[in-house]
Amino acid sequence: MKEGSSGGGAAAGGNDPRQPSTAKPYAPPKLSPQDLPIDYAGFLAVVFGVVGVMLRYKVCSWIAIIFCAQSLANMKNFENDLKQLSMAFM
């Protein structure tokens, strides 16, 4: 074993190779609304809602409400998703 080294790694003294002055905080990349992934829960809410209304299936209507709530919980862009969600409720 080397002399003066302990099992603590970075706590071994002045041998830490990291440079805190060059560390930068993480900034997520900016995406346009067209580049965002598809909201499958919102799409399924619309599909099940239409099927529930057209064929009068209560189960499809309840599933549409559940998917709509899931889409509301997973909103990324509040303004655009709120417009889509309001259309799904209609």
Side-chain angles (χ1 to χ4, degrees), residues 36-44 70-72 74-75 81 84:
L36 293 174
I38 298 171
D39 181 22
Y40 291 109
F43 176 71
L44 289 174
Q70 179 183 356
S71 178
L72 177 65
N74 292 330
M75 277 199 297
D81 287 341
Q84 292 175 353

Side-chain angles (χ1 to χ4, degrees), residues 2-57:
K2 293 182 181 178
E3 185 176 344
S5 67
S6 64
N15 298 341
D16 191 4
R18 296 176 289 182
Q19 298 174 351
S21 62
T22 60
K24 298 176 186 170
Y26 174 73
K30 303 288 184 197
L31 294 175
S32 66
Q34 290 81 17
D35 294 338
L36 293 174
I38 298 171
D39 181 22
Y40 291 109
F43 176 71
L44 289 174
V46 172
V47 169
F48 279 113
V50 169
V51 170
V53 168
M54 297 296 252
L55 302 178
R56 296 185 182 187
Y57 288 151

Side-chain angles (χ1 to χ4, degrees), residues 65-80:
I65 291 172
I66 291 170
F67 276 121
C68 195
Q70 179 183 356
S71 178
L72 177 65
N74 292 330
M75 277 199 297
K76 301 275 190 262
N77 189 354
F78 186 72
E79 293 178 6
N80 289 341

